[in-house]
Amino acid sequence: SKSAISYENNKVLIDKLPDKGENISVFSKPNDKIVFSKNLKNAAYQLVGGDIVLKLENGGLITFVSMGMLALRKQSIYRVSRW
C-alpha cells in the first residue's frame, strides 16, 4: 500500500491524512516545503515538548517531530501559522 508520506526534492508530501485515533509522524529538514493533499484550515496545533502536533477535524493527529524547537526561534527558518 502507498505510504501516507513521501519525501522528494525538498518536499514532504502528506498524501493520506490520519483517521481518528491515528497519529503519523513527519520528519522534515530546514527549508523543506510541506504539502498536504487536503485543506487543513480547521486543524488546531499545539507545541508538545519539541514537537508540533496538528489535531485534525476528524480527530487524527500529525506530529512534526522536533519542529517546535526550530519554529519558535526568533530567526526561524520554519514558518508556523494557525491553519
Side-chain angles (χ1 to χ4, degrees):
S1 80
K2 185 178 178 183
S3 175
I5 305 168
S6 57
Y7 300 88
E8 50 190 65
N9 301 324
N10 295 322
K11 285 186 185 176
V12 178
L13 306 170
I14 302 175
D15 297 321
K16 181 184 177 303
L17 299 180
D19 294 322
K20 182 176 183 174
E22 292 182 327
N23 183 353
I24 60 172
S25 296
V26 177
F27 299 87
S28 63
K29 305 180 308 291
N31 299 317
D32 277 354
K33 181 175 182 179
I34 298 172
V35 180
F36 296 94
S37 62
K38 297 188 177 169
N39 188 330
L40 300 182
K41 69 178 181 176
N42 293 321
Y45 70 88
Q46 181 176 11
L47 183 63
V48 179
D51 302 336
I52 295 176
V53 179
L54 287 183
K55 183 175 183 181
L56 307 179
E57 233 179 343
N58 70 358
L61 300 173
I62 301 174
T63 300
F64 295 91
V65 178
S66 298
M67 189 183 283
M69 301 297 286
L70 295 172
L72 298 177
R73 289 180 21 196
K74 186 176 180 180
Q75 295 184 353
S76 175
I77 48 178
Y78 288 108
R79 300 291 176 245
V80 178
S81 59
R82 190 173 182 92
W83 285 280

